[in-house]
Amino acid sequence: MPVITDFPEWEELKKHVPVVSKNNINKLIQDPDRINKFVFKTERLLFDITKNKIDSTALDILFRLAEKTGFNQKKQDFFSGKPVNTTENRPALHHALRSYENKTLPYPENIRAEARQSLASIETIYNRFCSTDNKKITDVIFAGIGGSITGPKFLSNALKPFFKENAPAVHFLSSPVTDVKSIIENLDPKTTIVIIASKSFSSVETIKWWSVIQNIFVNAPDFQKHCLAITAAPQKAIDAGFPEENIVHFPTWTGGRYSIWSAISLPVIFQTGPEVFHKFLNGAAEMDHHFFTTETSKNIPLIFALLDIWHSNGFEYSTRALLPYHPGLSLLTEYVQQLEMESNGKSFVIENGIANYKTSGIVWGLPGTDCQHSFMQLLHQGTGIHPAEFVGILKDSFNSDHFNEMLVANMIAQSTGLACGSETGDADEPYRRFPGDRPATVIFLKEYTPEAIGSLLAFYEHRTFAEGAMLSINSFDQWGVELGKQLAVNILDNLNTSNNDWIKSYDKSTQNLLQEFTRKNR
Ligand code: F6P
């Protein structure tokens, strides 16, 4: 099977890089026509890539390259439920959870039915626990790891202005690095719900939390009735002591990092009610429709995936800073980090062995304006170039303190500063020189609504899929995390044995570390 580097357009692209490199971004953005060419809009979002080193010729080559890689057929396979997750032989249909009613999309009928059923079961649970005569739920303890927590944590923060009155507080438990035990010990078990979320029901951190929670509430009468398991492995949840009627299934074709659209978001639905969650799903469904139906040259997630490939392979930029400038988006970087890097941080190319080109770069960042008092120094004046992606909200009707104005002003200022630089400062003060010519992308939610948030996350998902598809990567497995899990389990098991002979099976460096630990703890 040919890969992206096998097509003549790849060479054409490589040859065009030095041509574009000569153009300073500061100069490029003096051209008013750039707004027509490089600003894209949907009903909810605005995307501005004007301040990137890209021109119409580059885009034209990239579009032709996308078509050569079979992107359109791969997109068709993705939406029609073909097993695009080839190593696990399953489809990746998380988008069906929000778009199952869209007849333009080629979902098989059984998938539509399963998605409909999945949403219905969320509502049944909501009604059971949050109906008007049973509304005294003050707290939710939610334990999960990776994709089973990053989504609801992001969403609970993002949808805060849309919470219903007396919404329960949600206490998120993932890796045991934060001390939340002292908080949950003081909760009233009568008004607390526990949710254990794990697709496999085998992640060690999550299962450990379940036993810690059971120990804390061991004397609370009927406490099991307040405990829910969200999983695609119901038998394991039954074995762990969950009543069958408290097990919420989610479809196996929903990957962990794509599960925000599923029952995994139940704690947030307890806070907002189902209507707000539907709006969130609807916004994402709009992006699905755009992505599936829009031609190559206007397809926004595809354009961004191509820009990512252009940056990583044309310019060898190895990282991208993702900088959200709004409190509701403050966990966006963490969310997109898992989405992009766990999906495309791979070198195995389907049917072709190891990639001879760059796949996913590193996504990193902090919310603005904190980032400005930290690593923005390096983005403005460091030796390496790291494209910055700013995400903000144009109209925030919930903000009465003009904070949004301050945030947007800073965000725009940073983007112009990176692109244009500054020559101010005397000749004898070269350290005050800002070279500029550094790429900056701006994404705006037009309004702060659940729909816009849904649309934004679906945009990031489809951008990730498009990049993986064009680079011949399976974006839906995550074998790279398995080795660490196995090694840790072995070490943990051995630490509980009485002698230390097992340590000798490790390399000298690791032996030394294990000995340091056992000396202190035995
Ligand atoms: O460790 C990575 C991972 O496999 C993620 O992909 C997944 O979201 C997470 O673990 C949690 O898995 P589970 O939901 O099965 O507990």
Side-chain angles (χ1 to χ4, degrees):
M1 281 282 278
V3 292
I4 195 162
T5 47
D6 293 331
F7 303 108
E9 286 78 3
W10 184 263
E11 279 314 306
E12 221 184 307
L13 202 63
K14 288 272 176 173
K15 282 198 190 120
H16 192 57
V17 172
V19 178
V20 183
S21 291
K22 283 193 209 113
N23 302 324
N24 192 304
I25 296 176
N26 189 6
K27 281 245 171 62
L28 289 174
I29 56 180
Q30 306 307 327
D31 172 10
D33 206 27
R34 235 176 136 71
I35 308 300
N36 300 327
K37 289 181 186 157
F38 299 108
V39 176
F40 314 97
K41 290 180 185 171
T42 63
E43 198 188 330
R44 316 269 173 202
L45 305 168
L46 180 153
F47 302 85
D48 179 337
I49 60 167
T50 52
K51 296 188 181 88
N52 281 275
K53 264 193 193 223
I54 193 148
D55 62 7
S56 303
T57 310
L59 264 189
D60 174 62
I61 305 169
L62 287 162
F63 291 144
R64 282 189 278 121
L65 190 58
E67 295 194 348
K68 284 281 177 71
T69 62
F71 166 73
N72 283 321
Q73 183 58 49
K74 289 177 184 174
K75 186 174 70 172
Q76 179 75 26
D77 292 348
F78 178 44
F79 278 91
S80 54
K82 295 265 160 57
V84 290
N85 180 351
T86 45
T87 62
E88 295 171 307
N89 194 28
R90 347 184 237 260
L93 284 161
H94 46 275
H95 36 83
L97 293 169
R98 60 224 185 196
S99 283
Y100 60 88
E101 298 293 13
N102 184 340
K103 295 290 176 202
T104 314
L105 302 177
Y107 299 127
E109 274 315 312
N110 63 323
I111 296 298
R112 291 185 199 276
E114 217 181 321
R116 197 174 293 122
Q117 167 58 34
S118 170
L119 194 57
S121 67
I122 293 175
E123 287 182 20
T124 307
I125 291 283
Y126 176 82
N127 290 334
R128 234 176 84 202
F129 286 90
C130 300
S131 62
T132 34
D133 50 342
N134 185 11
K135 61 182 173 198
K136 278 221 178 80
I137 289 177
T138 55
D139 296 88
V140 177
I141 302 171
F142 183 94
I145 193 95
S148 289
I149 198 163
T150 314
K153 226 165 78 184
F154 166 84
L155 199 59
S156 176
N157 181 61
L159 294 181
K160 226 171 247 167
F162 310 97
F163 283 4
K164 55 188 195 182
E165 226 178 289
N166 300 322
V170 179
H171 310 281
F172 288 103
L173 317 182
S174 53
S175 172
V177 290
T178 37
D179 176 29
V180 276
K181 205 172 155 203
S182 53
I183 301 174
I184 56 180
E185 271 167 346
N186 290 317
L187 299 179
D188 178 354
K190 289 197 287 305
T191 62
T192 298
I193 292 181
V194 172
I195 302 180
I196 303 295
S198 174
K199 184 178 177 186
S200 61
F201 224 79
S202 61
S203 290
V204 285
E205 301 89 335
T206 310
I207 301 306
K208 173 84 180 161
W209 275 122
W210 174 227
S211 76
V212 169
I213 292 165
Q214 281 177 298
N215 285 341
I216 293 174
F217 294 115
V218 67
N219 294 322
D222 281 342
F223 184 63
Q224 258 13 17
K225 285 191 185 157
H226 284 218
C227 297
L228 294 169
I230 305 173
T231 186
Q235 189 53 49
K236 286 192 184 158
I238 292 172
D239 296 345
F242 286 85
E244 211 166 332
E245 67 278 13
N246 283 10
I247 298 173
V248 194
H249 299 232
F250 74 93
T252 50
W253 39 255
T254 312
R257 55 190 171 275
Y258 299 92
S259 62
I260 193 169
W261 323 100
S262 75
I264 288 286
S265 286
L266 253 180
V268 191
I269 299 165
F270 284 172
Q271 293 178 306
T272 62
E275 271 170 34
V276 172
F277 188 64
H278 286 163
K279 290 181 181 175
F280 168 69
L281 296 182
N282 290 343
E286 288 168 14
M287 183 54 77
D288 293 336
H289 188 80
H290 166 87
F291 182 59
F292 186 76
T293 59
T294 307
E295 62 181 278
T296 305
S297 66
K298 296 200 173 82
N299 194 310
I300 300 170
L302 174 64
I303 292 170
F304 271 75
L306 289 167
L307 182 67
D308 291 337
I309 293 173
W310 170 246
H311 277 163
S312 56
N313 284 279
F315 291 84
E316 310 216 335
Y317 302 148
S318 55
T319 86
R320 172 172 116 248
L322 179 56
L323 312 167
Y325 271 66
H326 189 278
L329 302 174
S330 60
L331 299 178
L332 184 69
T333 310
E334 184 185 341
Y335 183 82
V336 175
Q337 266 177 337
Q338 189 200 11
L339 175 64
E340 290 192 16
M341 293 200 280
E342 202 177 45
S343 298
N344 290 345
K346 294 168 189 168
S347 45
F348 182 73
V349 168
I350 299 168
E351 296 180 37
N352 267 62
I354 301 303
N356 62 350
Y357 43 85
K358 295 280 184 329
T359 61
S360 174
I362 293 166
V363 182
W364 58 282
L366 271 181
T369 59
D370 290 295
C371 62
Q372 292 172 207
H373 303 275
S374 167
F375 52 72
M376 289 307 287
Q377 163 64 39
L378 180 148
L379 291 194
H380 284 285
Q381 289 187 315
T383 48
I385 296 208
H386 305 274
E389 184 166 305
F390 298 91
V391 188
I393 300 186
L394 285 176
K395 186 165 173 53
D396 175 357
S397 317
F398 303 97
N399 188 319
S400 50
D401 296 322
H402 299 285
F403 268 128
N404 198 44
E405 199 171 281
M406 190 189 96
L407 289 166
V408 172
N410 271 276
M411 176 174 142
I412 294 177
Q414 287 297 320
S415 80
T416 190
L418 285 166
C420 302
S422 166
E423 290 295 340
T424 54
D426 298 339
D428 58 350
E429 291 180 318
Y431 47 84
R432 295 188 63 179
R433 206 184 144 256
F434 288 77
D437 198 25
R438 296 179 177 224
T441 293
V442 170
I443 299 175
F444 272 123
L445 280 68
K446 291 185 185 167
E447 303 222 6
Y448 189 8
T449 61
E451 289 90 340
I453 293 163
S455 235
L456 180 75
L457 296 196
F459 154 76
Y460 278 107
E461 281 184 355
H462 291 321
R463 171 184 181 171
T464 303
F465 164 77
E467 188 191 41
M470 290 185 289
L471 297 178
S472 305
I473 279 175
N474 174 2
S475 301
F476 302 105
D477 60 9
Q478 56 283 321
W479 295 103
V481 300
E482 289 307 315
L483 176 64
K485 285 187 195 172
Q486 281 162 19
L487 292 172
V489 166
N490 285 343
I491 293 177
L492 206 51
D493 284 351
N494 280 317
L495 283 173
N496 293 320
T497 59
S498 51
N499 73 49
N500 283 348
D501 286 352
W502 61 276
I503 293 181
K504 293 195 194 107
S505 67
Y506 288 87
D507 60 87
K508 296 287 180 275
S509 162
T510 310
Q511 278 185 31
N512 179 51
L513 297 173
L514 290 167
Q515 271 150 3
E516 291 286 351
F517 183 77
T518 47
R519 259 199 297 278
K520 284 273 184 209
N521 290 282
R522 287 271 165 78

